[in-house]
Amino acid sequence: MKVAILSGSVYGTAEEVARHAESLLKQAGLDAWHNPRATLDEVKAFAPQAFLIVTSTTGMGELPDNLQPLYHHIRDQLPAWSGLPGGVIALGDSSYGDTYCAGGEQARELFGELGVREVLPMLRIDASESVTPEQDAEPWIGEFVGMLQENDRLS
């Protein structure tokens, strides 16, 4: 199964989590692809069968600058990805209150518009509690891999 990993990061932490996820997905035998500066054409050329979005939140609850162009192109074109499985890992800081993991919520809304099925509830990693977000994401990523493999067996 081909899994496109899209990431949005301000200081590099979400990108590190995405790279770690890519490694774990590949170890599990999935064809994972991650490019933190991906264009919509590159994503389409990869022909993903599943998606993972790993993003932090910036400003007043926005997606990081490196993910915004891709996000807007996807929203403008609405590629035919309906029914594909997906998941979201959101990094944030709960001390920011209402905007905590808002970037991840935007990713979930995009999945909804595209018809991408979230196979697991969004993982929220709180910077005020986590010093090792890559390791903290591992159990969720393991579950995500299991859900994708199960989905692949059923299709």
Side-chain angles (χ1 to χ4, degrees), residues 7-149:
S7 66
S9 195
V10 178
Y11 300 111
T13 305
E15 196 172 314
E16 286 300 316
V17 173
R19 273 200 282 271
H20 190 60
E22 178 185 26
S23 173
L24 294 174
L25 269 63
K26 285 180 175 179
Q27 288 173 26
L30 299 170
D31 184 4
W33 174 81
H34 172 242
N35 176 351
R37 306 275 183 263
T39 65
L40 181 53
D41 287 341
E42 290 171 325
V43 176
K44 286 179 173 179
F46 178 67
Q49 298 165 300
F51 291 92
L52 174 60
I53 296 178
V54 182
T55 187
S56 59
T57 302
T58 188
M60 298 301 294
E62 292 96 30
L63 290 167
D65 289 344
N66 72 302
L67 186 54
Q68 283 195 27
L70 177 59
Y71 171 84
H72 290 295
H73 284 124
I74 291 171
R75 285 198 69 197
D76 291 345
Q77 293 191 19
L78 294 175
W81 294 332
S82 183
L84 295 181
V88 178
I89 298 175
L91 288 81
D93 188 325
S94 60
S95 68
Y96 284 86
D98 291 347
T99 62
Y100 173 57
C101 290
E105 292 298 341
Q106 285 185 43
R108 293 184 69 232
E109 288 171 17
L110 181 62
F111 277 176
E113 290 176 35
L114 294 167
V116 171
R117 294 179 296 106
E118 280 187 272
V119 296
L120 285 176
M122 179 173 77
L123 174 64
R124 295 171 186 264
I125 299 177
D126 189 346
S128 64
E129 295 179 3
S130 174
V131 292
T132 56
E134 298 92 0
Q135 285 80 25
D136 294 347
E138 285 181 5
W140 187 95
I141 294 167
E143 261 189 272
F144 183 69
V145 165
M147 297 298 285
L148 293 181
Q149 290 171 332

